[in-house]
Coordinates of all heavy atoms in Angstrom, one line a residue:
M375 N 154.2 76.2 107.0 CA 155.4 76.4 107.8 C 155.0 77.2 109.1 O 155.5 78.3 109.3 CB 156.4 77.2 107.0 CG 156.8 76.5 105.6 SD 157.5 74.9 105.9 CE 157.7 74.4 104.1
S376 N 154.2 76.6 109.9 CA 153.8 77.4 111.1 C 154.8 77.3 112.2 O 154.6 77.9 113.2 CB 152.4 76.8 111.5 OG 152.6 75.5 112.0
S377 N 155.8 76.5 112.0 CA 156.8 76.3 113.1 C 157.9 77.4 113.1 O 158.6 77.6 114.1 CB 157.5 74.9 113.0 OG 158.3 74.9 111.8
A378 N 158.0 78.1 111.9 CA 159.0 79.1 111.9 C 158.9 80.2 112.9 O 159.9 80.5 113.6 CB 159.1 79.7 110.5
P379 N 157.7 80.8 113.1 CA 157.6 81.8 114.1 C 157.9 81.3 115.5 O 158.6 82.0 116.3 CB 156.1 82.3 114.0 CG 155.7 81.9 112.6 CD 156.5 80.6 112.3
E380 N 157.5 80.1 115.8 CA 157.8 79.5 117.1 C 159.3 79.3 117.3 O 159.8 79.6 118.4 CB 157.1 78.1 117.2 CG 155.6 78.2 117.3 CD 154.9 76.9 117.3 OE1 155.6 75.9 117.6 OE2 153.7 76.8 117.1
D381 N 160.0 78.9 116.3 CA 161.4 78.7 116.4 C 162.1 80.0 116.7 O 163.0 80.1 117.6 CB 162.0 78.1 115.2 CG 161.6 76.6 115.0 OD1 161.2 76.0 116.0 OD2 161.8 76.1 113.9
T382 N 161.7 81.0 116.0 CA 162.3 82.4 116.2 C 162.0 82.8 117.6 O 162.9 83.3 118.3 CB 161.6 83.4 115.2 OG1 161.8 82.9 113.9 CG2 162.3 84.8 115.4
G383 N 160.8 82.6 118.1 CA 160.5 83.0 119.5 C 161.4 82.2 120.5 O 161.9 82.8 121.4
D384 N 161.6 80.9 120.2 CA 162.5 80.2 121.1 C 163.9 80.7 121.1 O 164.6 80.8 122.2 CB 162.5 78.7 120.7 CG 161.2 78.0 121.2 OD1 160.4 78.6 122.0 OD2 160.9 76.9 120.7
D385 N 164.4 81.0 119.9 CA 165.8 81.6 119.8 C 165.9 82.8 120.7 O 166.8 83.0 121.4 CB 166.1 81.9 118.4 CG 166.5 80.6 117.6 OD1 166.7 79.6 118.3 OD2 166.7 80.7 116.4
V386 N 165.0 83.7 120.5 CA 165.0 85.0 121.3 C 165.0 84.7 122.7 O 165.8 85.2 123.5 CB 163.9 85.9 120.9 CG1 163.9 87.1 121.8 CG2 164.0 86.4 119.4
F387 N 164.1 83.8 123.1 CA 164.0 83.5 124.5 C 165.2 82.8 125.1 O 165.7 83.1 126.2 CB 162.8 82.6 124.7 CG 162.4 82.5 126.2 CD1 162.0 83.6 126.9 CD2 162.4 81.2 126.8 CE1 161.6 83.5 128.2 CE2 162.0 81.1 128.2 CZ 161.6 82.3 128.9
D388 N 165.8 81.9 124.3 CA 167.0 81.2 124.7 C 168.2 82.3 124.8 O 168.9 82.2 125.8 CB 167.5 80.2 123.7 CG 166.6 78.9 123.9 OD1 165.9 78.8 124.9 OD2 166.7 78.0 123.0
Q389 N 168.3 83.2 123.9 CA 169.3 84.2 124.0 C 169.1 85.0 125.2 O 170.0 85.3 126.0 CB 169.2 85.1 122.8 CG 170.0 84.6 121.6 CD 170.0 85.7 120.4 OE1 169.5 86.8 120.6 NE2 170.6 85.2 119.3
F390 N 167.9 85.4 125.5 CA 167.6 86.2 126.7 C 168.0 85.4 127.9 O 168.7 86.0 128.8 CB 166.1 86.4 126.7 CG 165.6 87.2 128.0 CD1 166.0 88.5 128.1 CD2 164.9 86.6 128.9 CE1 165.6 89.2 129.3 CE2 164.5 87.2 130.1 CZ 164.8 88.6 130.2
L391 N 167.7 84.1 128.0 CA 168.0 83.3 129.2 C 169.5 83.2 129.3 O 170.1 83.4 130.4 CB 167.4 82.0 129.1 CG 165.9 81.9 129.4 CD1 165.4 80.5 129.4 CD2 165.6 82.5 130.8
S392 N 170.2 82.9 128.2 CA 171.7 82.7 128.3 C 172.4 84.0 128.6 O 173.4 84.0 129.3 CB 172.2 82.1 126.9 OG 172.0 83.0 125.9
Q393 N 171.9 85.1 128.1 CA 172.5 86.4 128.5 C 172.4 86.6 130.0 O 173.3 87.0 130.6 CB 171.8 87.5 127.7 CG 172.3 87.7 126.3 CD 171.6 88.8 125.5 OE1 170.7 89.4 126.1 NE2 172.0 88.9 124.3
R394 N 171.2 86.3 130.5 CA 171.0 86.5 131.9 C 171.9 85.5 132.7 O 172.5 85.8 133.7 CB 169.6 86.2 132.3 CG 168.6 87.0 131.6 CD 168.1 88.2 132.3 NE 167.5 87.8 133.6 CZ 166.9 88.6 134.4 NH1 166.9 89.9 134.2 NH2 166.4 88.2 135.5
G395 N 172.1 84.3 132.1 CA 172.8 83.2 132.8 C 174.3 83.6 132.8 O 175.0 83.1 133.7
H396 N 174.8 84.3 131.7 CA 176.2 84.6 131.6 C 176.6 85.7 132.6 O 177.8 85.8 132.9 CB 176.5 85.0 130.2 CG 176.8 83.9 129.3 ND1 177.8 83.0 129.4 CD2 176.1 83.5 128.2 CE1 177.7 82.1 128.5 NE2 176.7 82.4 127.7
E397 N 175.6 86.4 133.1 CA 176.0 87.4 134.1 C 176.6 86.7 135.3 O 176.2 85.7 135.8 CB 174.7 88.1 134.6 CG 174.5 89.4 133.9 CD 173.2 90.1 134.4 OE1 173.1 90.2 135.7 OE2 172.4 90.5 133.6
T398 N 177.7 87.3 135.7 CA 178.3 86.8 137.0 C 177.3 87.2 138.1 O 176.6 88.1 138.0 CB 179.7 87.5 137.3 OG1 179.5 88.9 137.2 CG2 180.7 87.0 136.2
E399 N 177.4 86.4 139.1 CA 176.5 86.7 140.2 C 176.6 88.1 140.7 O 177.8 88.6 140.9 CB 176.6 85.7 141.4 CG 177.9 85.9 142.2 CD 179.1 85.1 141.7 OE1 179.1 84.6 140.5 OE2 180.0 84.8 142.5
P400 N 175.5 88.8 140.9 CA 175.7 90.2 141.3 C 176.3 90.3 142.7 O 175.9 89.7 143.7 CB 174.2 90.7 141.4 CG 173.4 89.4 141.6 CD 174.2 88.3 140.9
V401 N 177.4 91.1 142.7 CA 178.1 91.3 143.9 C 177.6 92.7 144.5 O 177.7 93.7 143.8 CB 179.6 91.4 143.8 CG1 180.3 91.5 145.1 CG2 180.1 90.1 143.1
R402 N 177.1 92.7 145.6 CA 176.6 93.9 146.2 C 177.2 94.2 147.6 O 177.8 93.3 148.1 CB 175.0 93.7 146.4 CG 174.3 93.7 145.0 CD 172.9 93.2 145.2 NE 172.3 92.9 143.9 CZ 171.5 93.8 143.4 NH1 171.1 94.9 144.0 NH2 170.9 93.6 142.2
W403 N 176.9 95.3 148.0 CA 177.3 95.7 149.4 C 176.6 94.7 150.3 O 175.5 94.4 150.2 CB 176.8 97.1 149.7 CG 177.5 98.2 148.9 CD1 177.0 98.8 147.8 CD2 178.8 98.7 149.1 NE1 177.9 99.7 147.3 CE2 179.0 99.7 148.1 CE3 179.8 98.5 150.1 CZ2 180.2 100.4 148.1 CZ3 180.9 99.3 150.0 CH2 181.2 100.2 149.1
E404 N 177.4 94.3 151.3 CA 176.8 93.6 152.4 C 176.1 94.7 153.3 O 176.5 95.8 153.3 CB 177.8 92.9 153.3 CG 178.7 92.0 152.5 CD 178.0 90.7 152.1 OE1 177.0 90.4 152.7 OE2 178.5 90.0 151.2
R405 N 175.1 94.3 154.0 CA 174.5 95.2 154.9 C 174.9 94.9 156.4 O 174.8 93.7 156.8 CB 172.9 95.2 154.8 CG 172.5 96.0 153.6 CD 172.8 97.5 153.7 NE 171.9 98.1 154.6 CZ 170.8 98.6 154.3 NH1 170.3 98.5 153.1 NH2 170.0 99.3 155.2
N406 N 175.3 95.8 157.1 CA 175.7 95.6 158.5 C 175.1 96.7 159.3 O 175.5 97.8 159.3 CB 177.2 95.6 158.6 CG 177.7 95.0 159.9 OD1 177.0 95.2 160.9 ND2 178.8 94.3 159.9
Y407 N 174.0 96.3 160.0 CA 173.1 97.3 160.6 C 172.7 98.4 159.6 O 172.2 98.1 158.6 CB 173.9 97.9 161.9 CG 174.1 96.8 162.9 CD1 175.3 96.1 162.9 CD2 173.1 96.4 163.7 CE1 175.5 95.1 163.9 CE2 173.3 95.4 164.7 CZ 174.5 94.8 164.7 OH 174.7 93.7 165.6
N408 N 173.1 99.6 159.9 CA 172.7 100.7 158.9 C 173.9 101.2 158.1 O 174.0 102.3 157.7 CB 172.1 101.9 159.7 CG 173.0 102.5 160.7 OD1 174.0 101.9 161.0 ND2 172.7 103.7 161.1
K409 N 174.8 100.2 157.9 CA 176.0 100.5 157.2 C 176.1 99.6 156.0 O 175.6 98.5 156.0 CB 177.3 100.4 158.0 CG 177.4 101.4 159.2 CD 177.8 102.7 158.7 CE 178.2 103.6 159.9 NZ 178.6 105.0 159.5
K410 N 176.8 100.1 155.0 CA 177.2 99.2 153.9 C 178.6 98.5 154.3 O 179.5 99.2 154.8 CB 177.4 99.9 152.6 CG 176.1 100.3 151.9 CD 176.5 101.2 150.7 CE 175.3 101.4 149.8 NZ 175.7 102.3 148.7
Q411 N 178.7 97.3 153.9 CA 180.0 96.6 154.2 C 180.6 96.1 152.9 O 179.9 95.4 152.1 CB 179.8 95.5 155.2 CG 181.1 94.8 155.6 CD 181.0 93.8 156.7 OE1 179.9 93.2 156.9 NE2 182.0 93.7 157.5
C412 N 181.8 96.5 152.6 CA 182.5 96.0 151.4 C 182.7 94.5 151.4 O 183.2 94.0 152.4 CB 183.8 96.8 151.3 SG 184.8 96.2 149.9
P413 N 182.3 93.8 150.4 CA 182.5 92.3 150.4 C 183.9 92.0 150.2 O 184.3 90.8 150.4 CB 181.6 91.9 149.2 CG 181.5 93.1 148.3 CD 181.5 94.3 149.2
E414 N 184.7 92.9 149.7 CA 186.1 92.6 149.4 C 187.0 92.8 150.7 O 187.7 91.9 151.0 CB 186.7 93.6 148.4 CG 186.1 93.3 147.0 CD 186.7 92.0 146.4 OE1 187.8 91.7 146.6 OE2 185.9 91.3 145.8
C415 N 186.8 93.9 151.4 CA 187.7 94.1 152.5 C 186.9 94.3 153.8 O 187.5 94.5 154.9 CB 188.5 95.4 152.3 SG 187.6 96.9 152.3
S416 N 185.6 94.1 153.8 CA 184.8 94.2 155.0 C 184.8 95.6 155.6 O 184.4 95.7 156.7 CB 185.2 93.2 156.0 OG 185.0 91.9 155.5
G417 N 185.2 96.6 154.8 CA 185.1 97.9 155.4 C 183.7 98.4 155.4 O 182.9 98.1 154.6
L418 N 183.4 99.2 156.5 CA 182.1 99.8 156.6 C 182.0 101.2 156.1 O 182.9 102.0 156.2 CB 181.7 99.8 158.1 CG 181.5 98.4 158.7 CD1 181.3 98.5 160.3 CD2 180.3 97.7 158.1
H419 N 180.9 101.5 155.4 CA 180.7 102.8 154.8 C 179.3 103.2 155.0 O 178.4 102.4 155.3 CB 181.0 102.7 153.3 CG 182.4 102.2 153.0 ND1 183.5 103.0 153.1 CD2 182.8 101.0 152.7 CE1 184.5 102.3 152.8 NE2 184.2 101.0 152.6
D420 N 179.0 104.5 154.9 CA 177.7 105.0 154.9 C 176.9 104.5 153.7 O 177.4 104.1 152.7 CB 177.7 106.6 154.8 CG 178.3 107.2 156.1 OD1 178.2 106.5 157.1 OD2 178.8 108.3 156.0
L421 N 175.6 104.5 153.9 CA 174.7 104.0 152.8 C 174.8 104.8 151.6 O 174.5 104.3 150.5 CB 173.2 104.0 153.3 CG 172.9 103.0 154.5 CD1 171.5 103.1 154.8 CD2 173.3 101.6 154.1
S422 N 175.3 106.0 151.7 CA 175.4 106.8 150.5 C 176.7 106.6 149.7 O 176.9 107.1 148.6 CB 175.4 108.3 150.9 OG 176.4 108.6 151.8
A423 N 177.6 105.7 150.3 CA 178.8 105.4 149.6 C 178.6 104.7 148.3 O 177.7 103.8 148.2 CB 179.7 104.6 150.5
S424 N 179.3 105.1 147.2 CA 179.1 104.4 146.0 C 180.3 103.4 145.7 O 180.2 102.6 144.8 CB 178.9 105.4 144.8 OG 180.0 106.2 144.8
E425 N 181.4 103.7 146.4 CA 182.5 102.7 146.2 C 183.3 102.7 147.5 O 183.1 103.6 148.4 CB 183.4 103.2 145.1 CG 184.1 104.5 145.3 CD 185.1 104.8 144.2 OE1 184.8 104.4 143.1 OE2 186.1 105.4 144.5
C426 N 184.0 101.6 147.7 CA 184.8 101.4 148.9 C 186.0 102.4 148.9 O 186.8 102.4 148.0 CB 185.2 100.0 149.0 SG 186.2 99.7 150.5
S427 N 186.1 103.2 150.0 CA 187.2 104.1 150.1 C 188.4 103.4 150.6 O 189.5 104.0 150.6 CB 186.9 105.3 151.0 OG 186.5 104.8 152.3
V428 N 188.3 102.2 151.0 CA 189.5 101.4 151.5 C 190.2 100.7 150.4 O 191.4 100.8 150.2 CB 189.0 100.4 152.6 CG1 190.2 99.6 153.1 CG2 188.3 101.1 153.8
C429 N 189.4 99.9 149.6 CA 190.1 99.1 148.6 C 189.6 99.5 147.2 O 190.1 99.0 146.2 CB 189.8 97.6 148.8 SG 188.1 97.1 148.5
G430 N 188.7 100.4 147.1 CA 188.3 100.9 145.8 C 187.2 100.1 145.1 O 186.8 100.3 144.0
W431 N 186.7 99.1 145.8 CA 185.7 98.2 145.2 C 184.4 99.0 145.0 O 184.0 99.9 145.8 CB 185.4 97.0 146.1 CG 184.3 96.1 145.6 CD1 184.5 95.1 144.8 CD2 182.9 96.2 145.9 NE1 183.3 94.5 144.6 CE2 182.3 95.2 145.3 CE3 182.2 97.1 146.7 CZ2 180.9 94.9 145.3 CZ3 180.8 96.9 146.8 CH2 180.2 95.8 146.1
S432 N 183.7 98.7 143.9 CA 182.4 99.3 143.7 C 181.5 98.2 143.0 O 182.0 97.3 142.3 CB 182.4 100.5 142.8 OG 182.9 100.2 141.6
P433 N 180.2 98.3 143.3 CA 179.3 97.2 142.8 C 179.3 97.2 141.3 O 179.4 98.3 140.7 CB 177.9 97.6 143.3 CG 178.2 98.6 144.4 CD 179.5 99.2 144.2
Ligands
LIG941 ZN1 186.7 97.5 150.3

């Protein structure tokens, strides 16, 4: 039964892939010169901003 370990490995790998695949595409700050730009409202913020102070969006 040498195929059992291989099957287990495939399962783990498939799970890993499907978990990654289920992730929605990463939404990040747009970069506008040396500012962060909110993808939701296009508001500009300092690079240190962690969330949009205009619409409340955060990555
Ligand atoms: Zn915003």
Side-chain angles (χ1 to χ4, degrees):
M375 304 299 178
S376 65
S377 65
E380 289 176 17
D381 288 343
T382 303
D384 283 348
D385 278 351
V386 172
F387 193 61
D388 282 347
Q389 272 185 7
F390 177 70
L391 283 183
S392 62
Q393 280 176 0
R394 305 259 302 184
H396 278 296
E397 261 181 52
T398 53
E399 74 267 22
V401 184
R402 293 165 186 260
W403 294 99
E404 309 283 342
R405 282 296 286 274
N406 196 323
Y407 296 97
N408 61 343
K409 295 283 192 181
K410 283 176 170 178
Q411 185 171 30
C412 174
E414 289 290 319
C415 70
S416 299
L418 289 174
H419 302 281
D420 290 335
L421 294 180
S422 59
S424 59
E425 67 176 34
C426 178
S427 61
V428 179
C429 70
W431 177 89
S432 62

